[in-house]
Amino acid sequence: MTVRSRVPFYVFVFLLIAAGIAIATWRHLELGIPWMTGEQRPVWMIEARVDFEGQNSPAEASLHIPEQPPGFRILTEQAASPGYGFSILDSNSGRRAQWTKRDVAGPQTLYFKAQFVPDEDVIHTPPVRKPRALTVFWEEPQATAVRELLTQASERSSSPESMTRELIRLMQPDNRTQNTTLLVSDDNYLQLLVKMLNHAGIAARTADALKLEDARRRQQLVPFLQIYNGKRWLTFDPRTAEQGVPENLLLWRQGADSLLDVVGGDDSQVSFSMLRQTVPALQLATLESNANGLSVLGFYQLPIEEQSMFRMLLLLPIGALIVAFMRIVIGIRTSGTFMPVLIAVAFVQTTLVPGLIAFLSVVAIGLLLRGYLSSLNLLLVSRISALIILVIFITAGLSIIGYQMGFNTGMTVTFFPMVIIAWTIERMSILWEEEGAREVLVQGSGSLFVAICAYLAMSTPLAGHLTFNFPELHLVILGLILLMGQYTGYKLSELKRFTPMKAYD
């Protein structure tokens, strides 16, 4: 007799478990679905307010809005401007929010709101065309001063980044010489930096950023410096020469595109307000998956009623795993193979104590009625059919009695599977007649114990969260059940029976 190798089986089980863990990990990393319940994520609500004075003519206001700021993802965008037409325009120079109206007179206020989610994994897309340094012409004596400053900075640097840092340091008040005093003023400092870097062959531009502070109003953008190092744009603080974008900084505008353009209005200005909010990480992941079209990979696009059904169905594999472990490894005897799972599902919907009382009441009354049916010598089909009808009457009676007494226990009894309860009563009655009351008590108590264990596992918020949001983890459960199916050793409950053999040895 040839013995089949179990290697393919173990390889298959390993692939099942690995696939389940890998897909769940991908869903967590790609969609942002949290592993644990109750996780919160910060969200910044930024409101841009545009004010201008209408001139009794058609008006058009255009505000530069961020496309993909480093360290943030845009969650939602909306405008609140009654009477205005609104649209978001995409162009090579960036994105702009545009308001239009036929006749505008007097003070006008427009609002643009956006939610930003901090995300360090956001990768800024490289520019389509490689930026080039602009040609800059200088007149004497500024030309000589620029050459000397650039020479000093070049001698102390070895890359565009270090060249930028050295140039900023040379232009600080503490390090200023006759050349810097000739060039620098309070009004032209940042623009002078940009021009000098372009003159040195380094593509440079300005950027405007918001310093994020909770519950701040009427904030203005802070100017920053950006250079292109051949691969990507780098951001520098023009006052301290620090490189990089801090966590509390949101780059609103990058490039030479104007911040605000208003046609048909005077005295235009823009200010910003911000508010830090916290939202459940799961809700945030659901919104993002709906926005990027990945919601088809989950149950979120289904109707609420079907989602509720799947939330319950996806708990069944956990109950099946508990039953398999209790029967195969522990060795607990139950009435029916997976009857404890169905009882546990009912307990999840009724809670443990009311469900336990209702179940024991129905089964006890059903056993008494089954004894009377047995005395009538009915055929099996007729007896089971009559028992189902009697079980329905029992549950209905308990529901009415419970409602009249002010308890919900009777009302929730109807969740129990009627046919399964009828078969359980039938099996217990036959077992009573063949094996006696002790065996009925052993299997009945075993079923309730396993059902309670399954209920405790299935009713935890973490179990419901993982099974519904990571359904691929059921592949792991399947692999574990298959592995337990190969177990042929002693059950833990059998150790006591074989204790005398150990003492004899």
Side-chain angles (χ1 to χ4, degrees), residues 423-442:
W423 270 109
T424 300
I425 295 173
E426 176 67 20
R427 288 171 59 88
M428 287 185 175
S429 297
I430 296 176
L431 190 63
W432 193 313
E433 296 172 356
E434 295 179 353
E435 303 291 340
R438 183 180 181 279
E439 188 65 23
V440 173
L441 183 63
V442 169

PDB file of all heavy atoms in Angstrom, residues 423-442:
ATOM      1  N   TRP A 423     -34.466  19.680  15.008  1.00  0.00           N
ATOM      2  CA  TRP A 423     -33.605  18.511  14.852  1.00  0.00           C
ATOM      3  C   TRP A 423     -32.805  18.254  16.132  1.00  0.00           C
ATOM      4  O   TRP A 423     -32.562  17.095  16.499  1.00  0.00           O
ATOM      5  CB  TRP A 423     -32.656  18.701  13.679  1.00  0.00           C
ATOM      6  CG  TRP A 423     -33.217  18.195  12.380  1.00  0.00           C
ATOM      7  CD1 TRP A 423     -33.638  18.922  11.322  1.00  0.00           C
ATOM      8  CD2 TRP A 423     -33.433  16.824  12.043  1.00  0.00           C
ATOM      9  NE1 TRP A 423     -34.109  18.106  10.320  1.00  0.00           N
ATOM     10  CE2 TRP A 423     -33.994  16.796  10.740  1.00  0.00           C
ATOM     11  CE3 TRP A 423     -33.234  15.613  12.698  1.00  0.00           C
ATOM     12  CZ2 TRP A 423     -34.333  15.622  10.086  1.00  0.00           C
ATOM     13  CZ3 TRP A 423     -33.570  14.430  12.050  1.00  0.00           C
ATOM     14  CH2 TRP A 423     -34.110  14.451  10.757  1.00  0.00           C
ATOM     15  N   THR A 424     -32.387  19.303  16.810  1.00  0.00           N
ATOM     16  CA  THR A 424     -31.654  19.123  18.064  1.00  0.00           C
ATOM     17  C   THR A 424     -32.533  18.447  19.108  1.00  0.00           C
ATOM     18  O   THR A 424     -32.086  17.527  19.819  1.00  0.00           O
ATOM     19  CB  THR A 424     -31.177  20.491  18.592  1.00  0.00           C
ATOM     20  OG1 THR A 424     -30.324  21.091  17.617  1.00  0.00           O
ATOM     21  CG2 THR A 424     -30.416  20.329  19.892  1.00  0.00           C
ATOM     22  N   ILE A 425     -33.771  18.885  19.203  1.00  0.00           N
ATOM     23  CA  ILE A 425     -34.704  18.247  20.139  1.00  0.00           C
ATOM     24  C   ILE A 425     -34.909  16.778  19.769  1.00  0.00           C
ATOM     25  O   ILE A 425     -34.923  15.886  20.635  1.00  0.00           O
ATOM     26  CB  ILE A 425     -36.039  19.010  20.154  1.00  0.00           C
ATOM     27  CG1 ILE A 425     -35.823  20.428  20.713  1.00  0.00           C
ATOM     28  CG2 ILE A 425     -37.086  18.265  20.973  1.00  0.00           C
ATOM     29  CD1 ILE A 425     -37.047  21.313  20.606  1.00  0.00           C
ATOM     30  N   GLU A 426     -35.046  16.504  18.478  1.00  0.00           N
ATOM     31  CA  GLU A 426     -35.236  15.125  18.024  1.00  0.00           C
ATOM     32  C   GLU A 426     -34.018  14.261  18.365  1.00  0.00           C
ATOM     33  O   GLU A 426     -34.151  13.139  18.876  1.00  0.00           O
ATOM     34  CB  GLU A 426     -35.486  15.115  16.517  1.00  0.00           C
ATOM     35  CG  GLU A 426     -35.615  13.724  15.897  1.00  0.00           C
ATOM     36  CD  GLU A 426     -36.856  12.988  16.356  1.00  0.00           C
ATOM     37  OE1 GLU A 426     -37.798  13.651  16.842  1.00  0.00           O
ATOM     38  OE2 GLU A 426     -36.895  11.753  16.204  1.00  0.00           O
ATOM     39  N   ARG A 427     -32.806  14.799  18.103  1.00  0.00           N
ATOM     40  CA  ARG A 427     -31.587  14.041  18.378  1.00  0.00           C
ATOM     41  C   ARG A 427     -31.430  13.789  19.876  1.00  0.00           C
ATOM     42  O   ARG A 427     -31.039  12.696  20.303  1.00  0.00           O
ATOM     43  CB  ARG A 427     -30.361  14.792  17.844  1.00  0.00           C
ATOM     44  CG  ARG A 427     -30.239  14.784  16.323  1.00  0.00           C
ATOM     45  CD  ARG A 427     -29.134  15.720  15.884  1.00  0.00           C
ATOM     46  NE  ARG A 427     -27.867  15.337  16.466  1.00  0.00           N
ATOM     47  CZ  ARG A 427     -27.010  14.467  15.931  1.00  0.00           C
ATOM     48  NH1 ARG A 427     -27.326  13.881  14.772  1.00  0.00           N
ATOM     49  NH2 ARG A 427     -25.877  14.169  16.519  1.00  0.00           N
ATOM     50  N   MET A 428     -31.741  14.804  20.691  1.00  0.00           N
ATOM     51  CA  MET A 428     -31.626  14.626  22.138  1.00  0.00           C
ATOM     52  C   MET A 428     -32.635  13.612  22.665  1.00  0.00           C
ATOM     53  O   MET A 428     -32.341  12.842  23.581  1.00  0.00           O
ATOM     54  CB  MET A 428     -31.814  15.971  22.845  1.00  0.00           C
ATOM     55  CG  MET A 428     -30.628  16.906  22.693  1.00  0.00           C
ATOM     56  SD  MET A 428     -30.819  18.428  23.658  1.00  0.00           S
ATOM     57  CE  MET A 428     -29.219  19.202  23.370  1.00  0.00           C
ATOM     58  N   SER A 429     -33.815  13.619  22.071  1.00  0.00           N
ATOM     59  CA  SER A 429     -34.832  12.648  22.507  1.00  0.00           C
ATOM     60  C   SER A 429     -34.395  11.222  22.186  1.00  0.00           C
ATOM     61  O   SER A 429     -34.508  10.312  23.015  1.00  0.00           O
ATOM     62  CB  SER A 429     -36.167  12.954  21.825  1.00  0.00           C
ATOM     63  OG  SER A 429     -36.638  14.232  22.208  1.00  0.00           O
ATOM     64  N   ILE A 430     -33.880  11.017  20.959  1.00  0.00           N
ATOM     65  CA  ILE A 430     -33.399   9.683  20.578  1.00  0.00           C
ATOM     66  C   ILE A 430     -32.213   9.274  21.449  1.00  0.00           C
ATOM     67  O   ILE A 430     -32.099   8.118  21.888  1.00  0.00           O
ATOM     68  CB  ILE A 430     -33.017   9.672  19.084  1.00  0.00           C
ATOM     69  CG1 ILE A 430     -34.271   9.934  18.229  1.00  0.00           C
ATOM     70  CG2 ILE A 430     -32.359   8.359  18.703  1.00  0.00           C
ATOM     71  CD1 ILE A 430     -33.976  10.029  16.751  1.00  0.00           C
ATOM     72  N   LEU A 431     -31.304  10.267  21.706  1.00  0.00           N
ATOM     73  CA  LEU A 431     -30.145   9.975  22.541  1.00  0.00           C
ATOM     74  C   LEU A 431     -30.581   9.609  23.954  1.00  0.00           C
ATOM     75  O   LEU A 431     -29.995   8.729  24.603  1.00  0.00           O
ATOM     76  CB  LEU A 431     -29.227  11.202  22.563  1.00  0.00           C
ATOM     77  CG  LEU A 431     -27.848  11.021  23.197  1.00  0.00           C
ATOM     78  CD1 LEU A 431     -27.030  10.006  22.407  1.00  0.00           C
ATOM     79  CD2 LEU A 431     -27.113  12.350  23.249  1.00  0.00           C
ATOM     80  N   TRP A 432     -31.621  10.276  24.445  1.00  0.00           N
ATOM     81  CA  TRP A 432     -32.162   9.964  25.793  1.00  0.00           C
ATOM     82  C   TRP A 432     -32.672   8.525  25.842  1.00  0.00           C
ATOM     83  O   TRP A 432     -32.437   7.802  26.807  1.00  0.00           O
ATOM     84  CB  TRP A 432     -33.270  10.958  26.113  1.00  0.00           C
ATOM     85  CG  TRP A 432     -33.692  10.962  27.566  1.00  0.00           C
ATOM     86  CD1 TRP A 432     -33.974   9.884  28.344  1.00  0.00           C
ATOM     87  CD2 TRP A 432     -33.859  12.112  28.387  1.00  0.00           C
ATOM     88  NE1 TRP A 432     -34.322  10.272  29.592  1.00  0.00           N
ATOM     89  CE2 TRP A 432     -34.259  11.647  29.659  1.00  0.00           C
ATOM     90  CE3 TRP A 432     -33.739  13.475  28.186  1.00  0.00           C
ATOM     91  CZ2 TRP A 432     -34.534  12.498  30.716  1.00  0.00           C
ATOM     92  CZ3 TRP A 432     -34.006  14.319  29.241  1.00  0.00           C
ATOM     93  CH2 TRP A 432     -34.393  13.848  30.494  1.00  0.00           C
ATOM     94  N   GLU A 433     -33.387   8.128  24.779  1.00  0.00           N
ATOM     95  CA  GLU A 433     -33.947   6.786  24.750  1.00  0.00           C
ATOM     96  C   GLU A 433     -32.865   5.729  24.609  1.00  0.00           C
ATOM     97  O   GLU A 433     -32.986   4.628  25.173  1.00  0.00           O
ATOM     98  CB  GLU A 433     -34.952   6.668  23.603  1.00  0.00           C
ATOM     99  CG  GLU A 433     -36.160   7.581  23.770  1.00  0.00           C
ATOM    100  CD  GLU A 433     -37.038   7.583  22.526  1.00  0.00           C
ATOM    101  OE1 GLU A 433     -36.644   6.929  21.536  1.00  0.00           O
ATOM    102  OE2 GLU A 433     -38.087   8.241  22.540  1.00  0.00           O
ATOM    103  N   GLU A 434     -31.787   6.016  23.851  1.00  0.00           N
ATOM    104  CA  GLU A 434     -30.772   5.003  23.583  1.00  0.00           C
ATOM    105  C   GLU A 434     -29.645   5.011  24.611  1.00  0.00           C
ATOM    106  O   GLU A 434     -29.148   3.948  24.983  1.00  0.00           O
ATOM    107  CB  GLU A 434     -30.190   5.229  22.180  1.00  0.00           C
ATOM    108  CG  GLU A 434     -31.218   5.024  21.075  1.00  0.00           C
ATOM    109  CD  GLU A 434     -30.616   5.279  19.698  1.00  0.00           C
ATOM    110  OE1 GLU A 434     -29.452   5.745  19.642  1.00  0.00           O
ATOM    111  OE2 GLU A 434     -31.300   5.018  18.684  1.00  0.00           O
ATOM    112  N   GLU A 435     -29.177   6.197  25.014  1.00  0.00           N
ATOM    113  CA  GLU A 435     -28.002   6.285  25.878  1.00  0.00           C
ATOM    114  C   GLU A 435     -28.329   6.735  27.303  1.00  0.00           C
ATOM    115  O   GLU A 435     -27.480   6.610  28.183  1.00  0.00           O
ATOM    116  CB  GLU A 435     -26.984   7.267  25.272  1.00  0.00           C
ATOM    117  CG  GLU A 435     -26.540   6.906  23.865  1.00  0.00           C
ATOM    118  CD  GLU A 435     -25.688   5.648  23.834  1.00  0.00           C
ATOM    119  OE1 GLU A 435     -25.142   5.283  24.897  1.00  0.00           O
ATOM    120  OE2 GLU A 435     -25.565   5.037  22.758  1.00  0.00           O
ATOM    121  N   GLY A 436     -29.488   7.332  27.488  1.00  0.00           N
ATOM    122  CA  GLY A 436     -29.839   7.780  28.819  1.00  0.00           C
ATOM    123  C   GLY A 436     -29.666   9.282  28.994  1.00  0.00           C
ATOM    124  O   GLY A 436     -29.115   9.992  28.138  1.00  0.00           O
ATOM    125  N   ALA A 437     -30.146   9.753  30.142  1.00  0.00           N
ATOM    126  CA  ALA A 437     -30.136  11.190  30.393  1.00  0.00           C
ATOM    127  C   ALA A 437     -28.717  11.731  30.566  1.00  0.00           C
ATOM    128  O   ALA A 437     -28.442  12.892  30.252  1.00  0.00           O
ATOM    129  CB  ALA A 437     -30.970  11.492  31.643  1.00  0.00           C
ATOM    130  N   ARG A 438     -27.788  10.880  31.062  1.00  0.00           N
ATOM    131  CA  ARG A 438     -26.425  11.365  31.284  1.00  0.00           C
ATOM    132  C   ARG A 438     -25.761  11.782  29.980  1.00  0.00           C
ATOM    133  O   ARG A 438     -25.092  12.825  29.911  1.00  0.00           O
ATOM    134  CB  ARG A 438     -25.604  10.273  31.969  1.00  0.00           C
ATOM    135  CG  ARG A 438     -24.187  10.714  32.295  1.00  0.00           C
ATOM    136  CD  ARG A 438     -23.408   9.587  32.982  1.00  0.00           C
ATOM    137  NE  ARG A 438     -22.064  10.041  33.316  1.00  0.00           N
ATOM    138  CZ  ARG A 438     -21.047  10.083  32.462  1.00  0.00           C
ATOM    139  NH1 ARG A 438     -21.242   9.696  31.194  1.00  0.00           N
ATOM    140  NH2 ARG A 438     -19.851  10.504  32.857  1.00  0.00           N
ATOM    141  N   GLU A 439     -25.932  10.986  28.932  1.00  0.00           N
ATOM    142  CA  GLU A 439     -25.321  11.327  27.644  1.00  0.00           C
ATOM    143  C   GLU A 439     -25.946  12.593  27.063  1.00  0.00           C
ATOM    144  O   GLU A 439     -25.249  13.413  26.447  1.00  0.00           O
ATOM    145  CB  GLU A 439     -25.493  10.156  26.663  1.00  0.00           C
ATOM    146  CG  GLU A 439     -24.734  10.321  25.360  1.00  0.00           C
ATOM    147  CD  GLU A 439     -23.227  10.338  25.575  1.00  0.00           C
ATOM    148  OE1 GLU A 439     -22.753   9.805  26.604  1.00  0.00           O
ATOM    149  OE2 GLU A 439     -22.524  10.908  24.701  1.00  0.00           O
ATOM    150  N   VAL A 440     -27.254  12.771  27.248  1.00  0.00           N
ATOM    151  CA  VAL A 440     -27.902  14.004  26.803  1.00  0.00           C
ATOM    152  C   VAL A 440     -27.311  15.201  27.528  1.00  0.00           C
ATOM    153  O   VAL A 440     -27.043  16.257  26.928  1.00  0.00           O
ATOM    154  CB  VAL A 440     -29.422  13.926  27.032  1.00  0.00           C
ATOM    155  CG1 VAL A 440     -30.086  15.272  26.733  1.00  0.00           C
ATOM    156  CG2 VAL A 440     -30.035  12.837  26.174  1.00  0.00           C
ATOM    157  N   LEU A 441     -27.097  15.047  28.825  1.00  0.00           N
ATOM    158  CA  LEU A 441     -26.523  16.147  29.598  1.00  0.00           C
ATOM    159  C   LEU A 441     -25.095  16.460  29.155  1.00  0.00           C
ATOM    160  O   LEU A 441     -24.705  17.632  29.041  1.00  0.00           O
ATOM    161  CB  LEU A 441     -26.550  15.789  31.084  1.00  0.00           C
ATOM    162  CG  LEU A 441     -26.043  16.877  32.045  1.00  0.00           C
ATOM    163  CD1 LEU A 441     -26.932  18.109  31.949  1.00  0.00           C
ATOM    164  CD2 LEU A 441     -26.020  16.339  33.476  1.00  0.00           C
ATOM    165  N   VAL A 442     -24.306  15.400  28.855  1.00  0.00           N
ATOM    166  CA  VAL A 442     -22.916  15.617  28.434  1.00  0.00           C
ATOM    167  C   VAL A 442     -22.858  16.353  27.103  1.00  0.00           C
ATOM    168  O   VAL A 442     -22.145  17.358  26.947  1.00  0.00           O
ATOM    169  CB  VAL A 442     -22.175  14.263  28.356  1.00  0.00           C
ATOM    170  CG1 VAL A 442     -20.815  14.443  27.664  1.00  0.00           C
ATOM    171  CG2 VAL A 442     -21.991  13.671  29.739  1.00  0.00           C
TER     172      VAL A 442
END
